[in-house]
Amino acid sequence: MAGTADEVAVASQPIAEVDGHGLGQLTGDSGCDSPAEAPADRADLLAAIRKQVEFYFSDTNLPTDKHLLKQISKGPEGYVSLRMIANFKRVKQLTKDLSVVTEALQPSTVVTLDEAQSCIKRTAPLPAFDVTDITRRTVVVEHLPDKPTIDLVTQLLSQYGNVAVVRICNRNNINKLPNWLAKAAESINVTMAAGEFALVEFSSEDDCVTCVNKTRNPDNW
């Protein structure tokens, strides 16, 4: 998961911490991101590619995607290179053929290709987002297994509520988060465990609080 710091939350606190030790047996692929298995059926493959790319430009992902926001801000119309998107890990796991990615995005209403079909942008205007709301719905999960995966963390935390976004981080790449999110992470005055951690954003604050309350580590508080 993608993470920030190490403190368990009450609803009034921004970004809380939960302990991976309390999540039960960690099983599954230990790769950095569990490979997405490309569907054999072409229609299913195109749908999977479209779903993944639309997620990148979604209200759920975009507010905390520092890299993509930076690329979007470079042009007045918000277009970014389609080749760049096609090189994102989870898209490449589905196909390395740029023409297939282009074909998959033709019917999308979430994203729009330019006339040359070499650039892509979000169809709707960029969303206004509430930083405080996002931090109140976010927990940090530490004590994860080596090379945790987004899919595995999502599976583990989904028992407590609807997981919107998972970001796997370590101490060296927290600067890749948006400044407001990195600062929220650094504002928690507790010592984090070594290793990778996850920032997990739930769809609602209630789900976030449920996760925190059910995964408390009595050794930390």
Side-chain angles (χ1 to χ4, degrees):
M1 284 162 347
T4 210
D6 175 1
E7 176 179 12
V8 190
V10 187
S12 61
Q13 294 178 319
I15 297 202
E17 180 265 359
V18 300
D19 192 328
H21 288 156
L23 298 179
Q25 185 71 26
L26 292 167
T27 59
D29 187 346
S30 62
C32 189
D33 252 331
S34 46
E37 187 172 337
D41 179 79
R42 186 166 182 89
D44 290 342
L45 173 62
L46 296 176
I49 294 168
R50 184 164 55 252
K51 179 180 179 181
Q52 184 61 47
V53 174
E54 288 179 344
F55 170 76
Y56 293 138
F57 289 87
S58 68
D59 290 356
T60 299
N61 178 71
L62 203 51
T64 56
D65 194 324
K66 183 177 182 179
H67 173 66
L68 187 52
L69 282 173
K70 180 179 179 180
Q71 298 303 314
I72 290 173
S73 68
K74 288 182 177 180
E77 296 184 60
Y79 279 103
V80 300
S81 165
L82 179 60
R83 186 173 296 277
M84 179 192 75
I85 300 297
N87 280 327
F88 284 179
K89 182 186 301 182
R90 285 183 164 245
V91 177
K92 288 176 66 177
Q93 288 172 349
L94 293 168
T95 182
K96 295 180 174 64
D97 188 333
L98 182 60
S99 67
V100 175
V101 177
T102 303
E103 179 184 353
L105 298 176
Q106 295 291 343
S108 176
T109 58
V110 176
V111 296
T112 300
L113 295 171
D114 69 350
E115 187 174 348
Q117 299 191 340
S118 62
C119 293
I120 183 175
K121 71 174 182 178
R122 175 186 163 102
T123 302
L126 289 175
F129 57 91
D130 185 342
V131 169
T132 301
D133 173 62
I134 294 175
T135 57
R136 287 181 182 278
R137 294 185 284 106
T138 301
V139 296
V140 180
V141 183
E142 55 176 8
H143 295 125
L144 296 170
D146 290 340
K147 297 181 179 179
T149 70
I150 290 173
D151 291 339
L152 178 57
V153 174
T154 300
Q155 176 187 346
L156 291 168
L157 273 292
S158 291
Q159 62 185 300
Y160 305 113
N162 185 30
V163 175
V165 182
V166 170
R167 298 188 183 282
I168 308 271
C169 298
N170 59 49
R171 307 308 179 272
N172 298 322
N173 70 5
I174 195 170
N175 64 326
K176 293 183 179 180
L177 296 171
N179 290 337
W180 61 268
L181 187 54
K183 287 179 180 178
E186 293 167 352
S187 69
I188 302 180
N189 298 318
V190 279
T191 302
M192 294 182 65
E196 292 180 297
F197 60 97
L199 279 176
V200 182
E201 179 187 333
F202 285 92
S203 295
S204 73
E205 186 174 336
D206 286 345
D207 287 349
C208 180
V209 172
T210 297
C211 174
V212 170
N213 288 337
K214 291 188 176 181
T215 57
R216 287 182 182 275
N217 181 350
D219 295 331
N220 285 353
W221 41 78

